[in-house]
Amino acid sequence: MPVVLPEGMMRRASIYLTAAASVFAIVLTSCQQKAADEQSSAQQNSNPPAAPAAAQIAGTPTGTVMTPEYVASVGRFAYIWGWPLVNNLNRSLAAQQQPSPGLVGGVAPVSPPGHISMLTDYISADQHMITCPNQDTVYGSGYQHVNTQPVVIQVPDFGKRFFVYQIADARTDSFANIGSQYGTKPGFYAIVGSSWKGTIPSGITAVLHSPTDLVVILPRVFQDDTAEDKAAIQPLLSQVVLYPLSEFDGKMKTMDWKSIPTYPEPASAGGEIKWVIPEKFFDELPIILKQIPPMTGEESLYATFQSVLDAAAKDPKLKQTLVQTAVATEKEVIGPLFEFHNNGRPIGNGWNSPPNGANWGFDYLSRTATARSNMYDNAPQETRYIYTDFDSSGQRLGGAHGYTVTFPAGQTPPVNGFWSLTLYNKEHLFAPNALKRFSLGTKSKSMKQNPDGSLTIYVQNTSPGADKQDNWLPAPKDNFSLYIRAYWPKEEVTNGQWIPPLVKVTR
């Protein structure tokens, strides 16, 4: 039977139960709140707040004390980083002084913005405007400012003739694909800057967008080393024309490049014209920082460079430290990068090659090394550059010895375009010789193969004999370098499967 509690006990039990329920509710609520807080904290940890924009990240505060040692350290890296950009800038400033397209010294193409200048034959052997030019293609050149003056570059119908237009930004990175390897169609190609807001007229084949205002355009058109081909190429060259977008009318314009004027060549001490003057570098770097926006990830670099420049502007002693740093870095760092064995990476048999030409990105080392030794590389899928300073025993190449470079049968550089082997003197310019021959390769129709199908090129200061004359690449008496170009390289070249032959000493 049920137990019946007295009324007093019933009231006390009810009070106890109510109190217990209240305590349980408080404890339960507290636990739930704690769990919610822990869950919220976990969510916050797994979803951190978005990083601030680069412009919101503070750099070194104005007025912060900077020791000469700190300024020198930052300045040294700034010099390495900015050397190619200042080089490119100064070339463009020299070009824009000319009133119209012409030839500097009668040999090198130059033009003001809004135009381009074309050669009508291989570049002359006695030019000093640029190191390591080729004598396989006919060059053109022009610097543009496409934020304020977008331009149109014409592409004629080249048919089966190899061509490539190098179009690079102010960092010497290529940003456009025009050439045989891209299947580029004849037409009109507009080049515009990132801040240009105009309208593209009807009839433009494609629009190429530059990440920087300053653009360099370097057409290259293959030419055989024969009188017949030198004549056949002329109608095509006359259609390689560039002009402001505002002048576009949908009609293919022509230019008689043989009638353009000649302008004086800047002074040279024997090698390439000196485009970067260490003592002036830190006066020119602010122009670079202002005109060329940082790539994503470079904002802190720009801020650090600018903080040092600001401090030096207020303190003559710090400015002098920067100048001294530039002079020392030119000698100690930039100078050695001129040598090919300090450029790119080894690919076998003593040859080096950079795998990322004109796609430098954050590779400041290779960008600067190439700007110093052989400015304006094409992109790897356009041209692979392969070079050596040494023979098979590791000794410096020099005119006191004779050498052979023998490609086994079927093992010349694998290309869809063409290949060549060029010799450069110790200044990376052409070495004058009686034959006026500076390279051999696809263009050389008179070269002879060996009975087994191999191809031997003789590299020496004196003739190897009348029977080998067509395969002779004349060398100077001094040091020199050898340089292979593989235009439109096949995969065996780009993936490193194909290795150039040894440079063997014969005497």
Side-chain angles (χ1 to χ4, degrees), residues 402-420:
Y403 308 89
T404 57
V405 179
T406 299
F407 299 94
Q411 288 297 306
T412 54
V415 294
N416 293 305
F418 64 91
W419 68 272
S420 66

PDB file of all heavy atoms in Angstrom, residues 402-420:
ATOM      1  N   GLY A 402      92.509  24.996 -80.075  1.00  0.00           N
ATOM      2  CA  GLY A 402      91.466  24.684 -81.030  1.00  0.00           C
ATOM      3  C   GLY A 402      90.492  23.706 -80.397  1.00  0.00           C
ATOM      4  O   GLY A 402      90.868  22.904 -79.530  1.00  0.00           O
ATOM      5  N   TYR A 403      89.230  23.757 -80.811  1.00  0.00           N
ATOM      6  CA  TYR A 403      88.191  22.929 -80.195  1.00  0.00           C
ATOM      7  C   TYR A 403      87.271  22.366 -81.278  1.00  0.00           C
ATOM      8  O   TYR A 403      87.154  22.915 -82.376  1.00  0.00           O
ATOM      9  CB  TYR A 403      87.343  23.741 -79.218  1.00  0.00           C
ATOM     10  CG  TYR A 403      88.132  24.515 -78.191  1.00  0.00           C
ATOM     11  CD1 TYR A 403      88.557  25.819 -78.460  1.00  0.00           C
ATOM     12  CD2 TYR A 403      88.443  23.962 -76.953  1.00  0.00           C
ATOM     13  CE1 TYR A 403      89.273  26.538 -77.521  1.00  0.00           C
ATOM     14  CE2 TYR A 403      89.169  24.678 -76.007  1.00  0.00           C
ATOM     15  CZ  TYR A 403      89.582  25.969 -76.297  1.00  0.00           C
ATOM     16  OH  TYR A 403      90.290  26.681 -75.373  1.00  0.00           O
ATOM     17  N   THR A 404      86.605  21.279 -80.925  1.00  0.00           N
ATOM     18  CA  THR A 404      85.532  20.754 -81.768  1.00  0.00           C
ATOM     19  C   THR A 404      84.280  20.554 -80.926  1.00  0.00           C
ATOM     20  O   THR A 404      84.349  20.196 -79.744  1.00  0.00           O
ATOM     21  CB  THR A 404      85.906  19.408 -82.405  1.00  0.00           C
ATOM     22  OG1 THR A 404      86.240  18.463 -81.376  1.00  0.00           O
ATOM     23  CG2 THR A 404      87.061  19.560 -83.376  1.00  0.00           C
ATOM     24  N   VAL A 405      83.151  20.804 -81.549  1.00  0.00           N
ATOM     25  CA  VAL A 405      81.845  20.504 -80.966  1.00  0.00           C
ATOM     26  C   VAL A 405      81.166  19.574 -81.958  1.00  0.00           C
ATOM     27  O   VAL A 405      80.811  19.986 -83.070  1.00  0.00           O
ATOM     28  CB  VAL A 405      81.005  21.781 -80.768  1.00  0.00           C
ATOM     29  CG1 VAL A 405      79.640  21.426 -80.191  1.00  0.00           C
ATOM     30  CG2 VAL A 405      81.735  22.770 -79.865  1.00  0.00           C
ATOM     31  N   THR A 406      81.017  18.314 -81.597  1.00  0.00           N
ATOM     32  CA  THR A 406      80.473  17.316 -82.516  1.00  0.00           C
ATOM     33  C   THR A 406      79.116  16.818 -82.032  1.00  0.00           C
ATOM     34  O   THR A 406      78.999  16.255 -80.936  1.00  0.00           O
ATOM     35  CB  THR A 406      81.430  16.122 -82.662  1.00  0.00           C
ATOM     36  OG1 THR A 406      82.673  16.578 -83.197  1.00  0.00           O
ATOM     37  CG2 THR A 406      80.835  15.077 -83.605  1.00  0.00           C
ATOM     38  N   PHE A 407      78.112  17.038 -82.872  1.00  0.00           N
ATOM     39  CA  PHE A 407      76.774  16.538 -82.601  1.00  0.00           C
ATOM     40  C   PHE A 407      76.640  15.167 -83.261  1.00  0.00           C
ATOM     41  O   PHE A 407      76.802  15.050 -84.487  1.00  0.00           O
ATOM     42  CB  PHE A 407      75.718  17.480 -83.178  1.00  0.00           C
ATOM     43  CG  PHE A 407      75.744  18.876 -82.608  1.00  0.00           C
ATOM     44  CD1 PHE A 407      76.457  19.885 -83.240  1.00  0.00           C
ATOM     45  CD2 PHE A 407      75.054  19.171 -81.440  1.00  0.00           C
ATOM     46  CE1 PHE A 407      76.482  21.170 -82.725  1.00  0.00           C
ATOM     47  CE2 PHE A 407      75.076  20.453 -80.914  1.00  0.00           C
ATOM     48  CZ  PHE A 407      75.788  21.456 -81.547  1.00  0.00           C
ATOM     49  N   PRO A 408      76.377  14.102 -82.494  1.00  0.00           N
ATOM     50  CA  PRO A 408      76.180  12.788 -83.107  1.00  0.00           C
ATOM     51  C   PRO A 408      75.056  12.827 -84.138  1.00  0.00           C
ATOM     52  O   PRO A 408      74.221  13.738 -84.125  1.00  0.00           O
ATOM     53  CB  PRO A 408      75.814  11.894 -81.912  1.00  0.00           C
ATOM     54  CG  PRO A 408      76.392  12.602 -80.717  1.00  0.00           C
ATOM     55  CD  PRO A 408      76.266  14.066 -81.025  1.00  0.00           C
ATOM     56  N   ALA A 409      75.042  11.854 -85.013  1.00  0.00           N
ATOM     57  CA  ALA A 409      74.017  11.798 -86.058  1.00  0.00           C
ATOM     58  C   ALA A 409      72.623  11.897 -85.454  1.00  0.00           C
ATOM     59  O   ALA A 409      72.286  11.159 -84.516  1.00  0.00           O
ATOM     60  CB  ALA A 409      74.152  10.504 -86.851  1.00  0.00           C
ATOM     61  N   GLY A 410      71.852  12.832 -85.961  1.00  0.00           N
ATOM     62  CA  GLY A 410      70.484  13.025 -85.472  1.00  0.00           C
ATOM     63  C   GLY A 410      70.392  13.692 -84.119  1.00  0.00           C
ATOM     64  O   GLY A 410      69.313  13.725 -83.519  1.00  0.00           O
ATOM     65  N   GLN A 411      71.505  14.237 -83.610  1.00  0.00           N
ATOM     66  CA  GLN A 411      71.512  14.807 -82.267  1.00  0.00           C
ATOM     67  C   GLN A 411      71.851  16.297 -82.236  1.00  0.00           C
ATOM     68  O   GLN A 411      72.329  16.809 -81.221  1.00  0.00           O
ATOM     69  CB  GLN A 411      72.497  14.053 -81.379  1.00  0.00           C
ATOM     70  CG  GLN A 411      72.034  12.667 -80.987  1.00  0.00           C
ATOM     71  CD  GLN A 411      70.757  12.709 -80.156  1.00  0.00           C
ATOM     72  OE1 GLN A 411      70.677  13.383 -79.144  1.00  0.00           O
ATOM     73  NE2 GLN A 411      69.739  11.991 -80.608  1.00  0.00           N
ATOM     74  N   THR A 412      71.629  17.005 -83.347  1.00  0.00           N
ATOM     75  CA  THR A 412      71.675  18.460 -83.246  1.00  0.00           C
ATOM     76  C   THR A 412      70.518  18.894 -82.356  1.00  0.00           C
ATOM     77  O   THR A 412      69.588  18.106 -82.119  1.00  0.00           O
ATOM     78  CB  THR A 412      71.552  19.104 -84.652  1.00  0.00           C
ATOM     79  OG1 THR A 412      70.379  18.613 -85.291  1.00  0.00           O
ATOM     80  CG2 THR A 412      72.781  18.818 -85.489  1.00  0.00           C
ATOM     81  N   PRO A 413      70.529  20.100 -81.826  1.00  0.00           N
ATOM     82  CA  PRO A 413      69.478  20.500 -80.882  1.00  0.00           C
ATOM     83  C   PRO A 413      68.077  20.219 -81.435  1.00  0.00           C
ATOM     84  O   PRO A 413      67.738  20.671 -82.531  1.00  0.00           O
ATOM     85  CB  PRO A 413      69.723  21.997 -80.709  1.00  0.00           C
ATOM     86  CG  PRO A 413      71.203  22.152 -80.931  1.00  0.00           C
ATOM     87  CD  PRO A 413      71.537  21.168 -82.011  1.00  0.00           C
ATOM     88  N   PRO A 414      67.241  19.450 -80.708  1.00  0.00           N
ATOM     89  CA  PRO A 414      65.903  19.105 -81.178  1.00  0.00           C
ATOM     90  C   PRO A 414      64.975  20.326 -81.122  1.00  0.00           C
ATOM     91  O   PRO A 414      64.666  20.829 -80.040  1.00  0.00           O
ATOM     92  CB  PRO A 414      65.434  18.023 -80.199  1.00  0.00           C
ATOM     93  CG  PRO A 414      66.663  17.577 -79.463  1.00  0.00           C
ATOM     94  CD  PRO A 414      67.564  18.768 -79.437  1.00  0.00           C
ATOM     95  N   VAL A 415      64.571  20.803 -82.276  1.00  0.00           N
ATOM     96  CA  VAL A 415      63.762  22.022 -82.346  1.00  0.00           C
ATOM     97  C   VAL A 415      62.677  21.878 -83.406  1.00  0.00           C
ATOM     98  O   VAL A 415      62.794  21.102 -84.352  1.00  0.00           O
ATOM     99  CB  VAL A 415      64.633  23.252 -82.686  1.00  0.00           C
ATOM    100  CG1 VAL A 415      65.608  23.573 -81.563  1.00  0.00           C
ATOM    101  CG2 VAL A 415      65.390  23.038 -84.000  1.00  0.00           C
ATOM    102  N   ASN A 416      61.634  22.670 -83.210  1.00  0.00           N
ATOM    103  CA  ASN A 416      60.618  22.830 -84.248  1.00  0.00           C
ATOM    104  C   ASN A 416      60.925  24.065 -85.091  1.00  0.00           C
ATOM    105  O   ASN A 416      60.393  24.207 -86.194  1.00  0.00           O
ATOM    106  CB  ASN A 416      59.235  22.990 -83.618  1.00  0.00           C
ATOM    107  CG  ASN A 416      58.775  21.731 -82.911  1.00  0.00           C
ATOM    108  OD1 ASN A 416      58.729  20.659 -83.490  1.00  0.00           O
ATOM    109  ND2 ASN A 416      58.441  21.861 -81.638  1.00  0.00           N
ATOM    110  N   GLY A 417      61.775  24.940 -84.545  1.00  0.00           N
ATOM    111  CA  GLY A 417      62.165  26.147 -85.250  1.00  0.00           C
ATOM    112  C   GLY A 417      63.533  25.994 -85.889  1.00  0.00           C
ATOM    113  O   GLY A 417      63.661  25.418 -86.965  1.00  0.00           O
ATOM    114  N   PHE A 418      64.552  26.462 -85.194  1.00  0.00           N
ATOM    115  CA  PHE A 418      65.918  26.345 -85.713  1.00  0.00           C
ATOM    116  C   PHE A 418      66.889  26.406 -84.549  1.00  0.00           C
ATOM    117  O   PHE A 418      66.512  26.705 -83.412  1.00  0.00           O
ATOM    118  CB  PHE A 418      66.218  27.455 -86.726  1.00  0.00           C
ATOM    119  CG  PHE A 418      66.195  28.840 -86.135  1.00  0.00           C
ATOM    120  CD1 PHE A 418      67.342  29.431 -85.622  1.00  0.00           C
ATOM    121  CD2 PHE A 418      65.011  29.562 -86.086  1.00  0.00           C
ATOM    122  CE1 PHE A 418      67.320  30.696 -85.071  1.00  0.00           C
ATOM    123  CE2 PHE A 418      64.972  30.835 -85.542  1.00  0.00           C
ATOM    124  CZ  PHE A 418      66.121  31.402 -85.035  1.00  0.00           C
ATOM    125  N   TRP A 419      68.147  26.114 -84.829  1.00  0.00           N
ATOM    126  CA  TRP A 419      69.167  26.161 -83.779  1.00  0.00           C
ATOM    127  C   TRP A 419      70.417  26.836 -84.330  1.00  0.00           C
ATOM    128  O   TRP A 419      70.610  26.969 -85.535  1.00  0.00           O
ATOM    129  CB  TRP A 419      69.514  24.759 -83.277  1.00  0.00           C
ATOM    130  CG  TRP A 419      70.235  23.913 -84.295  1.00  0.00           C
ATOM    131  CD1 TRP A 419      69.662  23.118 -85.249  1.00  0.00           C
ATOM    132  CD2 TRP A 419      71.650  23.805 -84.489  1.00  0.00           C
ATOM    133  NE1 TRP A 419      70.627  22.517 -86.027  1.00  0.00           N
ATOM    134  CE2 TRP A 419      71.868  22.923 -85.585  1.00  0.00           C
ATOM    135  CE3 TRP A 419      72.754  24.375 -83.859  1.00  0.00           C
ATOM    136  CZ2 TRP A 419      73.138  22.588 -86.044  1.00  0.00           C
ATOM    137  CZ3 TRP A 419      74.024  24.050 -84.316  1.00  0.00           C
ATOM    138  CH2 TRP A 419      74.214  23.167 -85.388  1.00  0.00           C
ATOM    139  N   SER A 420      71.281  27.256 -83.415  1.00  0.00           N
ATOM    140  CA  SER A 420      72.561  27.848 -83.818  1.00  0.00           C
ATOM    141  C   SER A 420      73.568  27.719 -82.694  1.00  0.00           C
ATOM    142  O   SER A 420      73.210  27.553 -81.521  1.00  0.00           O
ATOM    143  CB  SER A 420      72.388  29.328 -84.190  1.00  0.00           C
ATOM    144  OG  SER A 420      72.018  30.087 -83.055  1.00  0.00           O
TER     145      SER A 420
END
